[in-house]
Amino acid sequence: MSVNLKGRHLLTLKDYSKEEIIYIIDLAADLKNKKKKGIFEKNMLNKNIALIFEKPSTRTRCSFTVACIDEGAHPEYLGKDDIQLGHKESVEDTARVLGRMFDGIEFRGFSQEVVEKLAKYSGIPVWNGLTDEDHPTQVLADFLTVREHFGKLERIKFVYIGDGRNNMSNALMIGSSKVGINFVVASPKELWPEKKLVDECERFTKISGGSIIVTDNIQEAVKDADVIYTDVWCSMGEEDKSAERIKLLSPYQVNSDVMRMTGKESTIFMHCLPAIKEKEVTEEVFEGNQSVVFDEAENRMHTIKAVMVGSIRG
Ligand code: CP
Ligand code: NVA
């Protein structure tokens, strides 16, 4: 069965099949290759794309912007002080207005409900550029990077270390369970992912053949890992939790001992960025030769481009 994503939202990878995820990664690899050769197909010529940002961003904002321009579309940045979303105007009304003018909407903010409402009311494709719960476009870039490195996703041992209940941990667990990755969360018990989400992802692994382990034992978690991944200890909006998180997560810092404990020299280090060095990761690991963090950052653009082209061109 051939994949067609025309008109589709990307709110969470829970809504996508393995075939659809692989289709986006394949399309991203193709568009990346073409861009390196100077070939621009202008798959979104004359389209207008709204970029709503309630939270700050470097990679996601720049990826959507550059991808739009590469494909012939116009990106319009709408920051939190530029529009009335959810304050002086309901999300439903803003969604319907934008839907009359634009061809697609990216939303980065706090609530998953808001991105769902934009999708429900706008009548155009809506893409989640990060919420408190999820970060699906980051996972697509991460999987493209893993596949470029290892040539496959199935059976890769992917270990996420740190805040096990944040948007990155959730999104990676969802994506991994869909594509057949063996996913491990190493986190203190206080920060384990919600059981409901783990159960849901375990159901996805029954189809994909992947697996999920949640543990507080870092040594067991990282043994034989192909990928070691971490993220900030305090996500955007949680800055007041800093002291508590440092206490809980200091034993989970990714340092050269952790990289050695995998027992493999081929293990790669990944981070969605921005990174706070000497907190969740040491400078040594971040700058070391196992780190692929800037390939990952570049791949945000190619995969976001593929998501938009898939939804708009089909
Ligand atoms: N990884 C990521 O989403 O980065 P930004 O917050 O800079 O967009
Ligand atoms: N968990 C981080 C991810 C940043 C890309 C945050 O939400 O701040």
Side-chain angles (χ1 to χ4, degrees):
M1 206 179 64
S2 73
V3 172
N4 185 345
L5 298 176
K6 196 170 172 70
R8 281 282 291 276
H9 306 297
L10 174 54
L11 309 180
T12 169
L13 288 174
K14 284 182 200 174
D15 302 336
Y16 277 62
S17 66
K18 176 178 179 176
E19 291 67 32
E20 289 168 342
I21 294 170
I22 300 299
Y23 174 88
I24 295 172
I25 294 171
D26 287 344
L27 179 57
D30 180 48
L31 294 169
K32 178 175 181 175
N33 190 28
K34 287 192 173 123
K35 178 164 175 151
K36 304 264 176 213
K37 291 186 181 145
I39 302 167
F40 295 91
E41 292 173 337
K42 305 287 176 193
N43 289 300
M44 291 164 55
L45 193 62
N46 297 333
K47 302 293 182 189
N48 291 290
I49 307 298
L51 308 178
I52 305 176
F53 282 84
E54 287 181 339
K55 289 177 177 173
S57 166
T58 302
R59 281 143 288 268
T60 309
R61 175 182 177 174
C62 296
S63 295
F64 273 97
T65 304
V66 172
C68 279
I69 293 168
D70 280 355
E71 292 298 336
H74 168 81
E76 185 65 26
Y77 179 78
L78 302 168
K80 70 173 175 14
D81 299 322
D82 300 328
I83 54 170
Q84 306 286 5
L85 188 76
H87 303 292
K88 207 171 166 187
E89 185 169 59
S90 69
V91 175
E92 290 88 331
D93 290 356
T94 301
R96 285 178 287 180
V97 172
L98 296 179
R100 296 292 183 105
M101 299 185 192
F102 287 91
D103 301 286
I105 300 172
E106 177 278 350
F107 172 81
R108 164 171 289 200
F110 294 88
S111 158
Q112 186 73 14
E113 260 177 35
V114 171
V115 79
E116 284 167 6
K117 268 192 190 166
L118 288 170
K120 184 166 173 201
Y121 289 94
S122 66
I124 55 176
V126 172
W127 309 293
N128 180 353
L130 179 147
T131 61
D132 290 346
E133 272 177 43
D134 213 325
H135 196 7
T137 64
Q138 177 70 49
V139 174
L140 296 170
D142 297 339
F143 287 0
L144 174 61
T145 311
V146 168
R147 205 180 66 174
E148 284 173 343
H149 207 86
F150 295 108
K152 62 170 194 171
L153 294 172
E154 292 83 4
R155 306 274 170 240
I156 287 292
K157 182 171 178 182
F158 193 120
V159 182
Y160 173 89
I161 302 176
D163 178 2
R165 41 135 298 281
N166 77 4
N167 42 18
M168 270 325 309
S169 179
N170 291 346
L172 287 165
M173 182 161 65
I174 295 164
S176 296
S177 66
K178 286 278 183 167
V179 301
I181 284 175
N182 295 327
F183 186 70
V184 181
V185 181
S187 183
K189 284 199 174 76
E190 293 86 338
L191 297 173
W192 278 7
E194 263 186 45
K195 185 172 179 313
K196 188 166 162 267
L197 181 65
V198 177
D199 290 347
E200 199 176 355
C201 290
E202 264 169 358
R203 286 197 292 278
F204 299 145
T205 64
K206 302 282 181 290
I207 302 168
S208 70
S211 61
I212 297 168
I213 293 172
V214 180
T215 176
D216 59 358
N217 185 325
I218 191 160
Q219 203 156 351
E220 273 174 30
V222 304
K223 189 171 180 305
D224 296 326
D226 298 300
V227 178
I228 299 286
Y229 196 112
T230 192
D231 184 15
V232 288
W233 290 345
C234 294
S235 289
M236 288 179 271
E238 296 185 328
E239 288 75 11
D240 60 328
K241 298 206 162 28
S242 177
E244 177 192 321
R245 291 285 166 77
I246 289 172
K247 209 162 131 205
L248 280 172
L249 287 166
S250 289
Y252 293 82
Q253 181 191 63
V254 178
N255 51 37
S256 51
D257 289 340
V258 170
M259 294 305 287
R260 253 193 307 277
M261 276 182 333
T262 67
K264 284 185 177 172
E265 279 173 21
S266 57
T267 311
I268 58 173
F269 170 72
M270 300 183 76
H271 192 309
C272 55
L273 307 182
I276 303 189
K277 287 168 223 169
E278 303 307 327
K279 288 282 194 300
E280 73 269 11
V281 58
T282 57
E283 177 113 34
E284 189 186 0
V285 169
F286 186 90
E287 298 292 347
N289 58 15
Q290 288 165 286
S291 172
V292 298
V293 296
F294 296 108
D295 294 334
E296 207 182 338
E298 178 190 333
N299 283 339
R300 295 300 308 289
M301 201 282 291
H302 304 297
T303 42
I304 280 173
K305 187 187 278 179
V307 167
M308 288 195 290
V309 167
S311 296
I312 285 181
R313 180 195 69 178

